Amino acid sequence: MGVVADTVRTWRRRFIERGLDGLCDEPRPGAPRKITDADVERVIVKTLEERPKNATHWSTRSMAAATGMSQSAISRIWRAFALAPHRSQTFKLSTDPFFIDKVRDVVGLYLDPPEKALVLCVDEKSQIQALDRSQPVLPIVPGVPERRSHDYVRAGTTTLFAALEVATGKVIGSLHRRHRAEEFKKFLTKLDREVPADLQVHLILDNYATHKTPAIKQWLLAHPRFHLHFTPTSASWLNLVERWFAELTQKKLKRGVHRSVQALERDIRAWLTDWNTNPRPFTWTKTADEILDKVAAYCQRISDSGH
């Protein structure tokens, strides 16, 4: 058992004298407990089922005033039961009538891609702003982080069209100043040139209007090896290229300083080239059933969800 012999002897003696009751903890020294289990339950129920009259959520001080306990006691109870009324998260459930079919279609491409085919996650990161700070950025020094002014000067915008290869993580990108069906058609033509001609191409993309114009439909009819798979409405999280856009934003754009659109586009092209020298694929692990079960659980928690 990993304990010393004296402890074992103590357990055996207490068991012989009092049976199983002898193995329970004896009363510990110190002041007697003031907060009962009923008090703890009252705090938890009040936190989960009620709201204060003058606020949208409880704080430790307002709960302490409402229950007659100390602020530190409320804090300990909330920590013990992982309650954090001051925090909130956002979500959005798709209302697409074909949500289940689209989820199974897209996730099936991730987990079991077809043979002799290339699966590409396609999307546009539009309105990328070239931002220049109004004052020079102060560099990091010991004890002080990098500092920058809160205001900025806009120098223009650009749009990045990107196609992420699910299997390898390689990204095919193209920059355009406008975001129209014409630019999307040019990007499809670029994909047609760069993808080997003997491979079928499955594109996962959202329901943006530029993806469904007559010009795009005509182009697809002339290139039958391209197959489009649309994510459900309001479910861009199903597209893996969004995760790659997050990498670009966090590592290059969020703290970048660009005095012109040309400088911004040079930085994006350089980052894209560096990514493709050592591409890292994103691995999808959730099955369609697991996703749908989780959505169903959320719907059950929401009154009048209509799902």
Side-chain angles (χ1 to χ4, degrees):
M1 299 299 295
V3 297
V4 298
D6 287 341
T7 301
V8 175
R9 280 192 287 269
T10 300
W11 290 346
R12 294 177 67 179
R13 184 181 66 255
R14 290 170 56 183
F15 179 75
I16 293 173
E17 294 174 353
R18 290 179 289 169
L20 289 176
D21 293 338
L23 302 181
C24 298
D25 283 344
E26 295 180 349
R28 298 182 178 275
R33 180 183 176 187
K34 296 181 180 179
I35 300 177
T36 64
D37 291 342
D39 294 329
V40 174
E41 181 181 1
R42 183 160 55 94
V43 171
I44 296 173
V45 171
K46 202 172 189 65
T47 304
L48 296 177
E49 300 180 2
E50 299 180 20
R51 289 186 179 182
K53 295 181 180 180
N54 59 347
T56 59
H57 58 278
W58 292 105
S59 67
T60 53
R61 290 179 176 84
S62 61
M63 180 60 74
T67 58
M69 300 183 188
S70 66
Q71 179 185 353
S72 58
I74 300 299
S75 180
R76 287 195 301 269
I77 294 172
W78 281 356
R79 283 199 304 269
F81 290 90
L83 295 173
H86 64 286
R87 297 181 59 189
S88 68
Q89 295 179 345
T90 59
F91 75 99
K92 185 175 182 178
L93 291 176
S94 174
T95 57
D96 195 316
F98 302 102
F99 177 78
I100 295 176
D101 296 333
K102 291 181 178 180
V103 168
R104 294 193 183 281
D105 181 32
V106 173
V107 174
L109 288 174
Y110 290 152
L111 300 181
D112 188 19
E115 296 182 359
K116 296 183 180 180
L118 191 66
V119 179
L120 297 175
C121 296
V122 176
D123 202 0
E124 305 90 9
K125 187 172 180 61
S126 59
Q127 300 295 313
I128 306 175
Q129 297 189 77
L131 301 178
D132 182 23
R133 297 293 165 178
S134 61
Q135 298 177 11
V137 177
L138 298 179
I140 184 175
V141 295
V144 180
E146 179 185 88
R147 290 176 291 175
R148 61 187 65 236
S149 61
H150 71 278
D151 54 341
Y152 48 80
V153 179
R154 294 186 177 93
T157 62
T158 189
T159 296
L160 172 63
F161 290 77
L164 171 71
E165 292 185 17
V166 174
T168 64
K170 180 182 176 182
V171 176
I172 301 173
S174 180
L175 288 165
H176 298 275
R177 297 296 174 86
R178 302 186 69 178
H179 186 195
R180 302 173 300 175
E182 182 178 345
E183 283 74 29
F184 182 63
K185 183 178 177 180
K186 293 179 181 178
F187 182 60
L188 290 177
T189 303
K190 181 177 182 179
L191 293 179
D192 189 37
R193 289 197 309 266
E194 298 197 15
V195 175
D198 60 331
L199 294 178
Q200 296 289 308
V201 183
H202 294 265
L203 302 182
I204 299 173
L205 63 168
D206 60 21
N207 295 273
Y208 195 62
T210 57
H211 302 157
K212 302 177 180 180
T213 62
I216 298 300
K217 293 179 180 179
Q218 290 179 3
W219 189 93
L220 292 171
L221 289 175
H223 301 78
R225 72 184 184 121
F226 279 76
H227 310 276
L228 270 56
H229 305 263
F230 293 100
T231 60
T233 305
S234 303
S236 294
W237 49 268
L238 203 56
N239 199 334
L240 277 178
V241 74
E242 296 289 352
R243 184 62 190 86
W244 184 81
F245 282 149
E247 288 285 307
L248 171 64
T249 301
Q250 185 67 28
K251 295 182 178 180
K252 195 64 179 179
L253 301 178
K254 188 175 181 179
R255 292 168 58 173
V257 177
H258 303 96
R259 298 182 178 179
S260 66
V261 177
Q262 291 82 358
L264 172 64
E265 291 179 341
R266 283 196 301 270
D267 270 1
I268 293 176
R269 289 191 183 99
W271 197 84
L272 179 60
T273 301
D274 180 71
W275 174 275
N276 285 332
T277 57
N278 183 27
R280 298 169 296 281
F282 300 101
T283 303
W284 190 273
T285 58
K286 292 287 186 180
T287 65
D289 288 337
E290 290 175 331
I291 295 172
L292 296 174
D293 288 344
K294 190 169 184 179
V295 172
Y298 270 107
C299 291
Q300 291 178 357
R301 293 174 58 188
I302 302 173
S303 60
D304 300 326
S305 65
H307 288 71

